[in-house]
Amino acid sequence: MLSLVSDQPRVAEASASDAQGGGGHPPADRRGLLLLLAWFLGAALLGLFLVATDLSLPGVYDDEVVQASEAIQFLRGDANPDGIEGSRSVALFGRMLPFMTQPYMGALKSQLLIPIFGACGISAQVLRSTTLVWALLGVLLAMLWLRELVSLPAAVVAGLVIATDPSFLLVSRHDFGSFALGMLFRCGGLLFLTVGWTRQRSAWLGLGGLCLGLGIYNKVDFAAFIIAAAISLLIAAPKVVLDAVRSWRVRLLPAALGFALGAAPMLLFAAETLEAAGRAYATRGNAAVSLLDKWTTLITTLDGSHFHSLMLAGGAFRRLYGGGEAASWFFAVFLLATVVLIARVIDSGRRGSPDRISLFLLSTTFLTVLGILLIPRAVRIHHLMNVYPLPQLVVAVAIARIWTACKEGRGPRWMASGLAGLLLLTTVIGNLYVDVQAMKTIHVTGGKGRWSEARLQFAQTLLERSQRPTLVALDWGFRWSLLFAAPELRVVEPIYELKRAAQRERAAEGRSSGPGWAHEGSRDTIYLLYPPSYSTFTYGARLLEAIEALPTSAATVRRHQDGEGDVAFLSVSIDGPHRLEYDHGLRLVME
């Protein structure tokens, strides 16, 4: 990206040093690197201080531990590993190594967790510490990238802004959708490709391509960022693209080989991935409603309130904004920073020295958002956070540009420096406020609904029984959290079968073809369901309706409460052999 950064004195200095001493850095540059590392360490410790206390709270969320459960099964040596629909494993040293979690999501997170769980043990604390560290390493790489392109002060500001951001910290703490690894690979790709280009190092270019490829393997929606960055590079620095094409063996080939290596596992199942995407597109429902949901998710992600809202809603996305008033802050600062950089791009263009870095950053940010908005059903926070850490980098560069203008005497110094300081102070204080409020909710409630520790306590009581029951989950959010806490349990989650049975009935247009799904139960079977406030499907409610027709002593319904005394979930036991079947609705047949 030489023409993109050729006006940057730090890069020019580094290039001169490479020519003279074979890649070494002058003492001032090494001091700058040490200062950056010190600032990163301080920012990382602040982030950990904010969210790394009581990592066992709240209870683990199902999506948080899906890939962790696959790692556990490998360590246990399970011959037939249990995964969600679309998962794949391959034989390795007599064990089944997780390879794909879903058609559009690789099992890289599972693979990396295997040695960590093997060395440190299996617990929520180990899992959450690991994902936090991965994400914070991404912060370090983002700081190094910004130092390479802009300046050390810009990198320092970026580290502080990202490492205190509520959505970043809380989603990294409770990593689902494998955000933490995506963050790490995005930042690594930007840094290593930039360093490889400016220093003409094929190894760095290959490493940058590898990061982008692994990002695709981790989760295919990572492609939105890659496409956005490529288009933005063409917009901001077309000469870079032209140079790359002309010297493709030196510039493009190493990066392409690294990308192919990293993305190879996903590319093997490209047809299946495209088929799954086609099904998602075909069942996307109301596109306007989906787009509105995505936009709301984006805004609440940027203002820091989304994860806090999810906690207050007990993990039930459908009642996301009805669980209480979540703290928020960041979004207005991001908008102001965007205006500052747009003004900077326009002004620099008029003066004949276009600010290509700001243009590239703005374009990549907004094209990534646009790409995610166009992906069918990519409505959750872990999808929209594919844009991270770009919004925080926009804020950091805006502050750096204002400060530079102040030093160069363009405009009143007191006004420019005051605005830069106000932006930074407002961002960090707002971030800290939201972080504290969200963690307060976690500590006070211990987790509500699908985050509740009540499920884990329930699992422990079952392990103490001499005859362990079969658990049948009639809604999302039980299976993987229970298996993470107690892998010895047998948990059946027939949601896919029930959905397919309903689809076959609709296709048959009322013609009866026998039960579409059935489960033979006994007095050792326990059915798990949510109260209406947390449920996704109605199967649990239909079971409760069915047992109302039974004698009082024929069924036992237990209500399990969270830390505030609210019902987190229900368990139902039926005293005797029975059959639960789906035939134009859920039916209970006593034998």
Side-chain angles (χ1 to χ4, degrees), residues 239-365:
K239 287 184 62 179
V240 170
V241 179
L242 185 59
D243 288 346
V245 172
R246 287 172 176 169
S247 58
W248 65 272
R249 289 185 179 85
V250 178
R251 302 288 195 183
L252 294 182
L253 186 59
L257 291 175
F259 177 83
L261 178 62
M266 183 65 73
L267 296 177
L268 289 175
F269 299 101
E272 187 176 343
T273 301
L274 292 174
E275 182 183 350
R279 289 196 302 269
Y281 183 80
T283 59
R284 68 191 185 281
N286 189 321
V289 172
S290 176
L291 188 60
L292 178 61
D293 288 343
K294 290 182 181 183
W295 183 253
T296 303
T297 300
L298 174 65
I299 300 304
T300 54
T301 297
L302 292 176
D303 73 14
S305 67
H306 190 96
F307 198 89
H308 192 191
S309 295
L310 189 59
M311 280 285 174
L312 292 169
F317 282 96
R318 67 177 180 80
R319 60 187 293 264
L320 188 58
Y321 306 106
E325 191 64 31
S328 62
W329 200 272
F330 177 80
F331 184 61
V333 177
F334 169 65
L335 286 181
L336 180 57
T338 300
V339 171
V340 168
L341 286 195
I342 291 174
R344 161 76 182 188
V345 168
I346 295 173
D347 179 62
S348 63
R350 287 174 178 170
R351 291 188 286 107
S353 56
D355 186 349
R356 301 182 188 279
I357 295 169
S358 295
L359 178 58
F360 173 79
L361 193 55
L362 285 171
S363 177
T364 305
T365 302

Side-chain angles (χ1 to χ4, degrees), residues 30 55 76 186 189 213 259 267 414 431 437 451 503 540 543:
R30 287 195 293 269
L55 284 171
R76 284 165 50 91
R186 266 189 301 279
F259 177 83
L267 296 177
W414 66 269
N431 284 348
Q437 293 303 310
W451 298 96
Q503 291 168 357
L543 175 62

Side-chain angles (χ1 to χ4, degrees), residues 160-171:
L160 190 58
V161 171
I162 303 169
T164 58
D165 180 81
S167 293
F168 167 78
L169 283 177
L170 292 167
V171 174

Side-chain angles (χ1 to χ4, degrees), residues 51 64 109 127-128 131-132 135 165-181 183 301 304 306-308 310-311 380-383 385-386 388 435 442 451:
V51 302
E64 183 183 358
K109 179 179 175 180
L127 175 63
R128 289 167 175 168
T131 55
L132 272 170
D165 180 81
S167 293
F168 167 78
L169 283 177
L170 292 167
V171 174
S172 300
R173 187 184 196 267
H174 306 273
D175 187 47
F176 54 94
S178 200
F179 160 74
L181 284 176
M183 170 80 177
T301 297
H306 190 96
F307 198 89
H308 192 191
L310 189 59
M311 280 285 174
R380 304 303 185 201
I381 184 172
H382 53 86
H383 299 294
M385 285 189 70
N386 267 301
Y388 270 47
D435 292 330
I442 290 174
W451 298 96

Side-chain angles (χ1 to χ4, degrees), residues 26-93:
D29 196 58
R30 287 195 293 269
R31 286 195 296 271
L33 178 60
L34 291 174
L35 184 58
L36 181 143
L37 293 175
W39 271 103
F40 163 72
L41 182 60
L45 289 175
L46 175 59
L48 292 173
F49 173 78
L50 290 168
V51 302
T53 57
D54 295 329
L55 284 171
S56 62
L57 293 177
V60 291
Y61 190 66
D62 238 40
D63 287 349
E64 183 183 358
V65 292
V66 166
Q67 292 180 292
S69 295
E70 293 181 319
I72 294 170
Q73 292 179 73
F74 178 87
L75 290 170
R76 284 165 50 91
D78 292 355
N80 297 299
D82 191 14
I84 58 179
E85 193 166 84
S87 65
R88 292 176 181 267
S89 299
V90 295
L92 181 69
F93 303 128

